[in-house]
Short mmCIF file of all heavy atoms in Angstrom, two decimals:
data_model
loop_
_atom_site.label_atom_id
_atom_site.label_comp_id
_atom_site.label_asym_id
_atom_site.label_seq_id
_atom_site.Cartn_x
_atom_site.Cartn_y
_atom_site.Cartn_z
N SER A 1 -12.37 -5.01 -17.01
CA SER A 1 -11.37 -3.99 -17.34
C SER A 1 -12.20 -2.74 -17.78
O SER A 1 -13.33 -2.77 -18.11
CB SER A 1 -10.35 -4.50 -18.36
OG SER A 1 -11.01 -4.68 -19.67
N PHE A 2 -11.42 -1.68 -18.04
CA PHE A 2 -11.93 -0.49 -18.51
C PHE A 2 -12.44 -0.71 -19.92
O PHE A 2 -13.51 -0.17 -20.36
CB PHE A 2 -11.01 0.80 -18.55
CG PHE A 2 -11.04 1.49 -17.14
CD1 PHE A 2 -10.32 1.05 -16.05
CD2 PHE A 2 -11.75 2.70 -16.99
CE1 PHE A 2 -10.42 1.70 -14.91
CE2 PHE A 2 -11.80 3.24 -15.74
CZ PHE A 2 -11.13 2.77 -14.70
N LEU A 3 -11.64 -1.62 -20.62
CA LEU A 3 -12.04 -1.85 -22.02
C LEU A 3 -13.48 -2.47 -22.10
O LEU A 3 -14.28 -2.31 -22.88
CB LEU A 3 -11.05 -2.71 -22.60
CG LEU A 3 -11.36 -3.31 -24.12
CD1 LEU A 3 -11.50 -2.14 -25.01
CD2 LEU A 3 -10.23 -4.20 -24.60
N ASP A 4 -13.68 -3.45 -21.08
CA ASP A 4 -14.89 -4.22 -21.07
C ASP A 4 -16.08 -3.19 -20.77
O ASP A 4 -17.17 -3.35 -21.27
CB ASP A 4 -14.94 -5.20 -19.83
CG ASP A 4 -13.86 -6.37 -20.12
OD1 ASP A 4 -13.76 -6.80 -21.27
OD2 ASP A 4 -13.26 -6.84 -19.15
N VAL A 5 -15.84 -2.15 -19.84
CA VAL A 5 -16.83 -1.15 -19.68
C VAL A 5 -17.23 -0.38 -20.99
O VAL A 5 -18.42 -0.24 -21.14
CB VAL A 5 -16.27 -0.15 -18.54
CG1 VAL A 5 -17.33 1.05 -18.44
CG2 VAL A 5 -16.08 -0.81 -17.36
N VAL A 6 -16.32 -0.13 -21.71
CA VAL A 6 -16.50 0.63 -22.96
C VAL A 6 -17.34 -0.37 -23.92
O VAL A 6 -18.41 0.02 -24.47
CB VAL A 6 -15.19 1.00 -23.69
CG1 VAL A 6 -15.44 1.47 -24.96
CG2 VAL A 6 -14.46 2.14 -22.95
N VAL A 7 -16.90 -1.58 -24.04
CA VAL A 7 -17.54 -2.50 -24.98
C VAL A 7 -18.94 -2.91 -24.47
O VAL A 7 -19.90 -2.84 -25.18
CB VAL A 7 -16.63 -3.73 -25.09
CG1 VAL A 7 -17.34 -4.86 -25.86
CG2 VAL A 7 -15.38 -3.33 -25.91
N ASN A 8 -19.01 -3.18 -23.24
CA ASN A 8 -20.35 -3.66 -22.75
C ASN A 8 -21.41 -2.58 -22.70
O ASN A 8 -22.60 -2.93 -22.59
CB ASN A 8 -20.12 -4.28 -21.33
CG ASN A 8 -19.32 -5.50 -21.37
OD1 ASN A 8 -19.19 -6.16 -22.35
ND2 ASN A 8 -18.68 -5.89 -20.29
N ASN A 9 -20.98 -1.36 -22.72
CA ASN A 9 -21.98 -0.24 -22.62
C ASN A 9 -22.01 0.38 -23.99
O ASN A 9 -22.57 1.59 -24.02
CB ASN A 9 -21.50 0.79 -21.52
CG ASN A 9 -21.64 0.15 -20.09
OD1 ASN A 9 -22.74 -0.03 -19.66
ND2 ASN A 9 -20.56 -0.18 -19.49
N SER A 10 -21.50 -0.13 -25.01
CA SER A 10 -21.63 0.35 -26.47
C SER A 10 -21.29 1.77 -26.50
O SER A 10 -21.84 2.60 -27.11
CB SER A 10 -23.10 0.22 -26.96
OG SER A 10 -23.48 -1.14 -26.90
N ILE A 11 -20.13 2.17 -25.65
CA ILE A 11 -19.69 3.52 -25.80
C ILE A 11 -18.78 3.67 -26.98
O ILE A 11 -17.92 2.82 -27.33
CB ILE A 11 -18.80 3.82 -24.54
CG1 ILE A 11 -19.71 3.66 -23.29
CG2 ILE A 11 -18.06 5.21 -24.63
CD1 ILE A 11 -18.95 3.84 -22.03
N SER A 12 -19.06 4.63 -27.76
CA SER A 12 -18.46 4.95 -29.08
C SER A 12 -17.20 5.71 -28.92
O SER A 12 -17.22 6.92 -28.76
CB SER A 12 -19.45 5.45 -30.02
OG SER A 12 -18.75 5.67 -31.33
N LEU A 13 -15.99 5.16 -28.94
CA LEU A 13 -14.67 5.65 -28.92
C LEU A 13 -14.01 5.21 -30.07
O LEU A 13 -13.37 4.09 -29.86
CB LEU A 13 -13.95 5.58 -27.52
CG LEU A 13 -14.76 6.05 -26.30
CD1 LEU A 13 -13.89 5.56 -24.95
CD2 LEU A 13 -14.85 7.55 -26.26
N GLU A 14 -14.04 5.86 -31.14
CA GLU A 14 -13.39 5.44 -32.40
C GLU A 14 -12.00 4.90 -32.11
O GLU A 14 -11.16 5.60 -31.73
CB GLU A 14 -13.47 6.41 -33.50
CG GLU A 14 -13.04 5.95 -34.78
CD GLU A 14 -13.33 6.82 -35.89
OE1 GLU A 14 -14.28 7.61 -35.77
OE2 GLU A 14 -12.60 6.78 -36.88
N GLY A 15 -11.79 3.65 -32.57
CA GLY A 15 -10.44 3.03 -32.52
C GLY A 15 -10.01 2.52 -31.21
O GLY A 15 -8.87 1.96 -30.91
N TYR A 16 -10.82 2.90 -30.11
CA TYR A 16 -10.44 2.36 -28.84
C TYR A 16 -10.47 0.90 -28.66
O TYR A 16 -11.43 0.29 -28.98
CB TYR A 16 -11.32 3.02 -27.68
CG TYR A 16 -11.02 2.86 -26.28
CD1 TYR A 16 -10.01 3.63 -25.59
CD2 TYR A 16 -11.28 1.72 -25.51
CE1 TYR A 16 -9.64 3.50 -24.34
CE2 TYR A 16 -10.96 1.48 -24.17
CZ TYR A 16 -10.13 2.29 -23.63
OH TYR A 16 -9.78 2.08 -22.32
N GLY A 17 -9.38 0.44 -28.10
CA GLY A 17 -9.28 -1.03 -27.86
C GLY A 17 -9.27 -1.82 -29.20
O GLY A 17 -9.85 -2.96 -29.30
N ALA A 18 -8.52 -1.50 -30.14
CA ALA A 18 -8.53 -2.02 -31.47
C ALA A 18 -8.03 -3.51 -31.40
O ALA A 18 -8.48 -4.34 -32.08
CB ALA A 18 -7.62 -1.37 -32.49
N CYS A 19 -7.24 -3.83 -30.55
CA CYS A 19 -6.70 -5.21 -30.38
C CYS A 19 -7.55 -6.19 -29.55
O CYS A 19 -7.21 -7.25 -29.36
CB CYS A 19 -5.28 -5.37 -30.02
SG CYS A 19 -5.01 -5.13 -28.29
N GLU A 20 -8.50 -5.69 -28.96
CA GLU A 20 -9.52 -6.31 -28.02
C GLU A 20 -8.85 -6.88 -26.86
O GLU A 20 -9.17 -7.99 -26.35
CB GLU A 20 -10.29 -7.28 -28.87
CG GLU A 20 -11.14 -6.81 -30.07
CD GLU A 20 -11.83 -7.86 -30.80
OE1 GLU A 20 -11.58 -9.01 -30.53
OE2 GLU A 20 -12.68 -7.46 -31.58
N GLY A 21 -7.89 -6.16 -26.30
CA GLY A 21 -7.12 -6.57 -25.11
C GLY A 21 -6.10 -7.61 -25.24
O GLY A 21 -5.62 -8.14 -24.13
N THR A 22 -5.51 -7.63 -26.34
CA THR A 22 -4.39 -8.62 -26.61
C THR A 22 -3.11 -8.00 -26.38
O THR A 22 -2.01 -8.68 -26.78
CB THR A 22 -4.53 -9.48 -27.87
OG1 THR A 22 -4.54 -8.40 -28.86
CG2 THR A 22 -5.83 -10.20 -27.95
N LEU A 23 -3.04 -6.82 -26.00
CA LEU A 23 -1.74 -6.06 -25.69
C LEU A 23 -0.94 -5.96 -26.89
O LEU A 23 0.31 -6.11 -26.89
CB LEU A 23 -1.00 -6.77 -24.61
CG LEU A 23 -1.30 -6.42 -23.10
CD1 LEU A 23 -0.58 -7.28 -22.21
CD2 LEU A 23 -1.04 -5.04 -22.93
N THR A 24 -1.49 -5.53 -28.17
CA THR A 24 -0.77 -5.36 -29.32
C THR A 24 -1.18 -4.02 -29.91
O THR A 24 -0.86 -3.74 -31.13
CB THR A 24 -1.14 -6.51 -30.36
OG1 THR A 24 -2.42 -6.52 -30.62
CG2 THR A 24 -0.54 -7.84 -29.91
N CYS A 25 -1.88 -3.00 -29.27
CA CYS A 25 -2.22 -1.81 -29.92
C CYS A 25 -1.92 -0.55 -29.22
O CYS A 25 -1.47 0.55 -29.81
CB CYS A 25 -3.62 -1.99 -30.43
SG CYS A 25 -4.91 -1.65 -29.07
N SER A 26 -2.07 -0.49 -27.92
CA SER A 26 -2.14 0.73 -27.07
C SER A 26 -3.18 1.77 -27.33
O SER A 26 -2.99 2.84 -26.78
CB SER A 26 -0.62 1.32 -27.04
OG SER A 26 -0.35 2.13 -28.29
N THR A 27 -4.11 1.42 -28.07
CA THR A 27 -5.16 2.45 -28.35
C THR A 27 -6.14 2.55 -27.08
O THR A 27 -6.99 3.49 -27.16
CB THR A 27 -6.05 1.91 -29.55
OG1 THR A 27 -6.68 0.77 -29.17
CG2 THR A 27 -5.23 1.89 -30.85
N CYS A 28 -5.92 1.73 -26.14
CA CYS A 28 -6.85 1.83 -24.88
C CYS A 28 -6.03 2.76 -23.84
O CYS A 28 -6.41 2.58 -22.68
CB CYS A 28 -7.11 0.45 -24.29
SG CYS A 28 -5.65 -0.44 -24.00
N HIS A 29 -5.10 3.51 -24.24
CA HIS A 29 -4.30 4.40 -23.35
C HIS A 29 -5.18 5.28 -22.59
O HIS A 29 -6.03 5.97 -23.11
CB HIS A 29 -3.34 5.06 -24.15
CG HIS A 29 -2.51 6.12 -23.42
ND1 HIS A 29 -2.03 7.28 -24.01
CD2 HIS A 29 -2.14 6.11 -22.03
CE1 HIS A 29 -1.36 7.91 -23.10
NE2 HIS A 29 -1.42 7.22 -21.90
N LEU A 30 -5.09 5.23 -21.29
CA LEU A 30 -5.75 6.03 -20.29
C LEU A 30 -4.72 6.84 -19.40
O LEU A 30 -3.62 6.30 -19.12
CB LEU A 30 -6.59 5.30 -19.30
CG LEU A 30 -7.73 4.46 -20.00
CD1 LEU A 30 -8.45 3.68 -18.88
CD2 LEU A 30 -8.72 5.30 -20.65
N ILE A 31 -5.04 8.10 -19.10
CA ILE A 31 -4.26 8.86 -18.16
C ILE A 31 -5.08 9.12 -16.93
O ILE A 31 -6.10 9.78 -17.00
CB ILE A 31 -3.68 10.13 -18.75
CG1 ILE A 31 -2.97 9.92 -20.03
CG2 ILE A 31 -2.97 10.91 -17.82
CD1 ILE A 31 -2.61 11.09 -20.93
N PHE A 32 -4.51 8.64 -15.74
CA PHE A 32 -5.38 8.85 -14.57
C PHE A 32 -4.95 10.01 -13.74
O PHE A 32 -3.59 10.34 -13.84
CB PHE A 32 -5.12 7.54 -13.66
CG PHE A 32 -5.72 6.27 -14.24
CD1 PHE A 32 -5.23 5.51 -15.15
CD2 PHE A 32 -7.14 6.00 -13.83
CE1 PHE A 32 -5.89 4.37 -15.59
CE2 PHE A 32 -7.67 4.87 -14.12
CZ PHE A 32 -7.15 4.10 -15.10
N ALA A 33 -5.66 10.62 -12.94
CA ALA A 33 -5.18 11.52 -11.99
C ALA A 33 -4.32 10.87 -11.05
O ALA A 33 -4.58 9.64 -10.69
CB ALA A 33 -6.45 12.10 -11.27
N GLN A 34 -3.37 11.55 -10.51
CA GLN A 34 -2.37 10.86 -9.54
C GLN A 34 -3.07 10.09 -8.51
O GLN A 34 -2.77 8.98 -8.18
CB GLN A 34 -1.45 11.96 -9.03
CG GLN A 34 -0.28 11.32 -8.13
CD GLN A 34 0.66 10.50 -9.08
OE1 GLN A 34 1.24 11.05 -10.06
NE2 GLN A 34 0.87 9.23 -8.71
N ALA A 35 -4.06 10.71 -7.75
CA ALA A 35 -4.64 10.13 -6.65
C ALA A 35 -5.40 8.88 -7.05
O ALA A 35 -5.38 7.71 -6.37
CB ALA A 35 -5.77 11.10 -6.11
N ASP A 36 -6.03 8.76 -8.32
CA ASP A 36 -6.68 7.58 -8.75
C ASP A 36 -5.58 6.54 -9.12
O ASP A 36 -5.71 5.31 -8.83
CB ASP A 36 -7.57 7.77 -10.00
CG ASP A 36 -8.77 8.81 -9.58
OD1 ASP A 36 -9.28 8.74 -8.43
OD2 ASP A 36 -9.10 9.49 -10.42
N PHE A 37 -4.52 6.94 -9.79
CA PHE A 37 -3.44 6.07 -10.11
C PHE A 37 -2.89 5.42 -8.85
O PHE A 37 -2.69 4.17 -9.06
CB PHE A 37 -2.38 6.83 -10.97
CG PHE A 37 -1.31 5.90 -11.48
CD1 PHE A 37 -1.36 5.24 -12.63
CD2 PHE A 37 -0.09 5.80 -10.73
CE1 PHE A 37 -0.31 4.57 -13.12
CE2 PHE A 37 1.04 5.05 -11.19
CZ PHE A 37 0.88 4.45 -12.42
N ASP A 38 -2.68 6.02 -7.84
CA ASP A 38 -2.06 5.61 -6.67
C ASP A 38 -3.04 4.57 -5.97
O ASP A 38 -2.52 3.65 -5.32
CB ASP A 38 -1.87 6.67 -5.70
CG ASP A 38 -0.78 7.53 -6.07
OD1 ASP A 38 0.14 7.26 -6.96
OD2 ASP A 38 -0.68 8.76 -5.53
N GLN A 39 -4.24 4.46 -6.27
CA GLN A 39 -5.18 3.53 -5.67
C GLN A 39 -5.37 2.31 -6.56
O GLN A 39 -6.02 1.28 -6.03
CB GLN A 39 -6.59 4.07 -5.57
CG GLN A 39 -6.58 5.23 -4.43
CD GLN A 39 -8.00 5.71 -4.25
OE1 GLN A 39 -8.87 4.96 -4.31
NE2 GLN A 39 -8.16 7.01 -3.99
N LEU A 40 -4.75 2.16 -7.71
CA LEU A 40 -4.80 1.09 -8.53
C LEU A 40 -4.02 -0.11 -7.89
O LEU A 40 -2.93 0.10 -7.30
CB LEU A 40 -4.32 1.25 -9.99
CG LEU A 40 -5.04 2.31 -10.79
CD1 LEU A 40 -4.42 2.59 -12.16
CD2 LEU A 40 -6.54 1.86 -11.02
N PRO A 41 -4.58 -1.31 -7.92
CA PRO A 41 -3.94 -2.36 -7.17
C PRO A 41 -2.50 -2.83 -7.80
O PRO A 41 -1.69 -3.52 -7.10
CB PRO A 41 -4.94 -3.61 -7.28
CG PRO A 41 -5.60 -3.18 -8.46
CD PRO A 41 -5.81 -1.70 -8.65
N ASP A 42 -2.26 -2.49 -9.04
CA ASP A 42 -0.97 -2.90 -9.57
C ASP A 42 -0.44 -1.70 -10.48
O ASP A 42 -1.07 -0.72 -10.73
CB ASP A 42 -1.09 -4.14 -10.40
CG ASP A 42 -2.12 -4.05 -11.53
OD1 ASP A 42 -2.83 -2.99 -11.52
OD2 ASP A 42 -2.35 -5.02 -12.39
N LYS A 43 0.69 -1.90 -10.92
CA LYS A 43 1.46 -0.81 -11.80
C LYS A 43 1.78 -1.48 -13.01
O LYS A 43 1.95 -2.72 -13.23
CB LYS A 43 2.78 -0.39 -11.04
CG LYS A 43 2.45 0.27 -9.72
CD LYS A 43 1.61 1.42 -9.84
CE LYS A 43 1.28 1.93 -8.43
NZ LYS A 43 -0.13 2.41 -8.19
N PRO A 44 1.90 -0.57 -14.05
CA PRO A 44 2.10 -1.19 -15.51
C PRO A 44 3.58 -1.73 -15.60
O PRO A 44 4.48 -1.07 -15.16
CB PRO A 44 2.05 0.01 -16.44
CG PRO A 44 2.37 1.18 -15.55
CD PRO A 44 1.77 0.74 -14.19
N GLU A 45 3.82 -2.97 -15.88
CA GLU A 45 5.00 -3.59 -16.06
C GLU A 45 4.89 -4.76 -17.14
O GLU A 45 3.78 -5.03 -17.51
CB GLU A 45 5.50 -4.22 -14.74
CG GLU A 45 4.49 -5.00 -13.94
CD GLU A 45 4.99 -5.26 -12.48
OE1 GLU A 45 5.75 -4.33 -11.94
OE2 GLU A 45 4.55 -6.28 -11.96
N GLY A 46 5.99 -5.34 -17.39
CA GLY A 46 5.92 -6.50 -18.35
C GLY A 46 5.44 -6.07 -19.68
O GLY A 46 5.79 -5.00 -20.24
N GLU A 47 4.61 -6.92 -20.23
CA GLU A 47 4.06 -6.56 -21.58
C GLU A 47 3.27 -5.30 -21.60
O GLU A 47 3.30 -4.59 -22.61
CB GLU A 47 3.01 -7.74 -22.17
CG GLU A 47 3.79 -8.89 -22.53
CD GLU A 47 2.74 -10.01 -22.90
OE1 GLU A 47 2.14 -9.82 -24.00
OE2 GLU A 47 2.68 -11.09 -22.26
N GLU A 48 2.47 -4.93 -20.59
CA GLU A 48 1.77 -3.69 -20.55
C GLU A 48 2.73 -2.62 -20.63
O GLU A 48 2.57 -1.59 -21.30
CB GLU A 48 0.89 -3.63 -19.36
CG GLU A 48 0.06 -2.27 -19.28
CD GLU A 48 -0.70 -1.92 -18.18
OE1 GLU A 48 -0.81 -2.79 -17.21
OE2 GLU A 48 -1.35 -0.93 -18.10
N GLY A 49 3.88 -2.64 -19.75
CA GLY A 49 4.86 -1.46 -19.80
C GLY A 49 5.51 -1.29 -21.09
O GLY A 49 5.67 -0.30 -21.59
N ASP A 50 5.81 -2.51 -21.78
CA ASP A 50 6.31 -2.40 -23.13
C ASP A 50 5.41 -1.72 -24.22
O ASP A 50 5.90 -0.93 -24.98
CB ASP A 50 6.77 -3.92 -23.66
CG ASP A 50 7.77 -4.45 -22.81
OD1 ASP A 50 8.57 -3.79 -22.13
OD2 ASP A 50 8.06 -5.70 -22.91
N MET A 51 4.15 -2.14 -24.19
CA MET A 51 3.21 -1.49 -25.08
C MET A 51 2.89 -0.03 -24.82
O MET A 51 2.74 0.75 -25.66
CB MET A 51 1.99 -2.38 -25.13
CG MET A 51 0.93 -2.00 -26.19
SD MET A 51 1.65 -1.96 -27.92
CE MET A 51 2.22 -3.62 -28.03
N LEU A 52 2.84 0.19 -23.51
CA LEU A 52 2.62 1.65 -23.08
C LEU A 52 3.65 2.54 -23.60
O LEU A 52 3.33 3.70 -23.91
CB LEU A 52 2.45 1.56 -21.48
CG LEU A 52 1.82 2.80 -20.74
CD1 LEU A 52 0.43 2.97 -21.28
CD2 LEU A 52 1.71 2.46 -19.40
N GLU A 53 4.96 2.04 -23.77
CA GLU A 53 5.89 2.96 -24.27
C GLU A 53 5.57 3.46 -25.70
O GLU A 53 6.11 4.34 -26.16
CB GLU A 53 7.27 2.18 -24.16
CG GLU A 53 7.79 1.97 -22.75
CD GLU A 53 9.14 1.21 -22.85
OE1 GLU A 53 9.65 1.08 -23.90
OE2 GLU A 53 9.53 0.83 -21.74
N LEU A 54 4.72 2.77 -26.34
CA LEU A 54 4.49 3.10 -27.71
C LEU A 54 3.11 4.03 -27.76
O LEU A 54 2.87 4.41 -28.89
CB LEU A 54 4.08 1.80 -28.66
CG LEU A 54 5.27 0.81 -28.58
CD1 LEU A 54 4.81 -0.47 -29.49
CD2 LEU A 54 6.51 1.42 -29.15
N ALA A 55 2.55 4.20 -26.68
CA ALA A 55 1.31 5.08 -26.69
C ALA A 55 1.78 6.50 -26.85
O ALA A 55 2.74 6.96 -26.35
CB ALA A 55 0.54 4.92 -25.31
N ARG A 56 0.83 7.27 -27.47
CA ARG A 56 1.15 8.76 -27.68
C ARG A 56 0.88 9.45 -26.40
O ARG A 56 -0.24 9.15 -25.83
CB ARG A 56 0.18 9.25 -28.81
CG ARG A 56 0.93 9.94 -29.92
CD ARG A 56 0.20 10.49 -30.96
NE ARG A 56 -1.21 10.16 -31.11
CZ ARG A 56 -2.04 10.87 -31.84
NH1 ARG A 56 -1.57 11.73 -32.72
NH2 ARG A 56 -3.25 10.33 -32.07
N GLY A 57 1.63 10.40 -26.05
CA GLY A 57 1.50 11.25 -24.83
C GLY A 57 1.37 10.48 -23.62
O GLY A 57 0.73 10.92 -22.50
N VAL A 58 2.29 9.44 -23.47
CA VAL A 58 2.27 8.70 -22.24
C VAL A 58 2.85 9.56 -21.08
O VAL A 58 3.72 10.36 -21.29
CB VAL A 58 3.16 7.42 -22.41
CG1 VAL A 58 4.70 7.80 -22.61
CG2 VAL A 58 2.90 6.42 -21.36
N THR A 59 2.25 9.35 -19.89
CA THR A 59 2.70 10.00 -18.63
C THR A 59 2.99 9.03 -17.66
O THR A 59 2.90 7.86 -17.79
CB THR A 59 1.46 10.94 -18.12
OG1 THR A 59 0.43 10.06 -17.55
CG2 THR A 59 0.88 11.76 -19.34
N ASP A 60 3.42 9.58 -16.47
CA ASP A 60 3.75 8.74 -15.36
C ASP A 60 2.50 8.07 -14.73
O ASP A 60 2.68 7.13 -13.99
CB ASP A 60 4.46 9.49 -14.16
CG ASP A 60 5.89 10.08 -14.61
OD1 ASP A 60 6.47 9.37 -15.51
OD2 ASP A 60 6.33 10.91 -13.98
N THR A 61 1.33 8.48 -15.06
CA THR A 61 0.12 7.96 -14.57
C THR A 61 -0.68 7.28 -15.74
O THR A 61 -1.94 7.18 -15.59
CB THR A 61 -0.72 8.92 -13.85
OG1 THR A 61 -1.12 9.97 -14.78
CG2 THR A 61 -0.06 9.54 -12.59
N SER A 62 -0.10 6.83 -16.66
CA SER A 62 -0.67 6.19 -17.90
C SER A 62 -0.87 4.73 -17.64
O SER A 62 -0.07 4.12 -16.93
CB SER A 62 0.08 6.37 -19.12
OG SER A 62 0.06 7.62 -19.55
N ARG A 63 -1.95 4.19 -18.05
CA ARG A 63 -2.29 2.71 -18.02
C ARG A 63 -2.88 2.29 -19.38
O ARG A 63 -3.40 3.21 -20.08
CB ARG A 63 -3.08 2.31 -16.84
CG ARG A 63 -2.45 2.54 -15.52
CD ARG A 63 -1.43 1.50 -15.30
NE ARG A 63 -1.62 0.15 -15.47
CZ ARG A 63 -2.14 -0.72 -14.62
NH1 ARG A 63 -2.24 -0.37 -13.34
NH2 ARG A 63 -2.41 -2.09 -14.82
N LEU A 64 -2.86 1.02 -19.74
CA LEU A 64 -3.70 0.49 -20.76
C LEU A 64 -5.05 0.01 -20.21
O LEU A 64 -5.05 -0.81 -19.34
CB LEU A 64 -2.96 -0.56 -21.50
CG LEU A 64 -1.62 -0.10 -22.25
CD1 LEU A 64 -0.94 -1.26 -22.97
CD2 LEU A 64 -1.94 0.99 -23.19
N GLY A 65 -5.99 0.61 -20.84
CA GLY A 65 -7.44 0.36 -20.17
C GLY A 65 -7.74 -1.14 -20.12
O GLY A 65 -8.55 -1.64 -19.38
N CYS A 66 -7.19 -1.90 -21.13
CA CYS A 66 -7.51 -3.37 -21.10
C CYS A 66 -6.89 -4.07 -20.01
O CYS A 66 -7.22 -5.21 -19.85
CB CYS A 66 -7.13 -3.96 -22.55
SG CYS A 66 -5.40 -3.99 -22.85
N GLN A 67 -5.93 -3.47 -19.32
CA GLN A 67 -5.24 -4.11 -18.24
C GLN A 67 -5.51 -3.54 -16.81
O GLN A 67 -4.95 -4.08 -15.88
CB GLN A 67 -3.76 -3.99 -18.53
CG GLN A 67 -3.29 -4.55 -19.72
CD GLN A 67 -3.60 -5.96 -20.00
OE1 GLN A 67 -3.19 -6.76 -19.26
NE2 GLN A 67 -4.35 -6.26 -21.03
N VAL A 68 -6.54 -2.68 -16.80
CA VAL A 68 -6.85 -2.11 -15.49
C VAL A 68 -8.18 -2.84 -15.11
O VAL A 68 -9.18 -2.72 -15.81
CB VAL A 68 -6.97 -0.60 -15.51
CG1 VAL A 68 -7.47 0.00 -14.24
CG2 VAL A 68 -5.63 -0.02 -15.99
N PHE A 69 -8.21 -3.47 -13.91
CA PHE A 69 -9.37 -4.17 -13.52
C PHE A 69 -9.95 -3.59 -12.21
O PHE A 69 -9.13 -3.07 -11.37
CB PHE A 69 -9.19 -5.70 -13.36
CG PHE A 69 -8.73 -6.28 -14.64
CD1 PHE A 69 -7.44 -6.29 -15.11
CD2 PHE A 69 -9.81 -6.80 -15.43
CE1 PHE A 69 -7.06 -7.01 -16.30
CE2 PHE A 69 -9.47 -7.44 -16.62
CZ PHE A 69 -8.05 -7.43 -17.05
FE1 FES B 101 -5.03 -3.02 -27.32
FE2 FES B 101 -5.37 -2.63 -24.85
S1 FES B 101 -6.81 -2.98 -26.34
S2 FES B 101 -3.55 -2.93 -25.77
#
């Protein structure tokens, strides 16, 4: 996932991925360009969709980075 990329490369983004991918924080919120969003194999729904609603500045092309593989 995008969260794994951040963690595995020791990228310092303060607070990013606070729940470590357990879908309880929304700090891994990402906003994709429409063209990139359209190429993702799935769309946010279920638990991701519910948690995404709590993210700040959510857009039609938002995803939670811990759920994008
Ligand atoms: Fe918490 Fe993605 S890391 S919801």
Side-chain angles (χ1 to χ4, degrees):
S1 70
F2 275 81
L3 177 60
D4 296 322
V5 172
V6 170
V7 170
N8 294 340
N9 292 283
S10 301
I11 298 170
S12 180
L13 297 174
E14 189 171 330
Y16 187 87
C19 78
E20 300 178 351
T22 59
L23 277 174
T24 57
C25 75
S26 80
T27 61
C28 60
H29 177 206
L30 300 174
I31 299 174
F32 289 87
Q34 185 69 56
D36 295 326
F37 183 84
D38 291 343
Q39 291 186 36
L40 296 175
D42 56 355
K43 301 298 175 221
E45 49 193 29
E47 288 183 67
E48 180 187 0
D50 292 344
M51 187 52 61
L52 199 50
E53 290 178 12
L54 303 178
R56 233 181 350 170
V58 71
T59 73
D60 289 343
T61 60
S62 289
R63 293 293 307 267
L64 293 180
C66 65
Q67 302 303 305
V68 179
F69 296 91

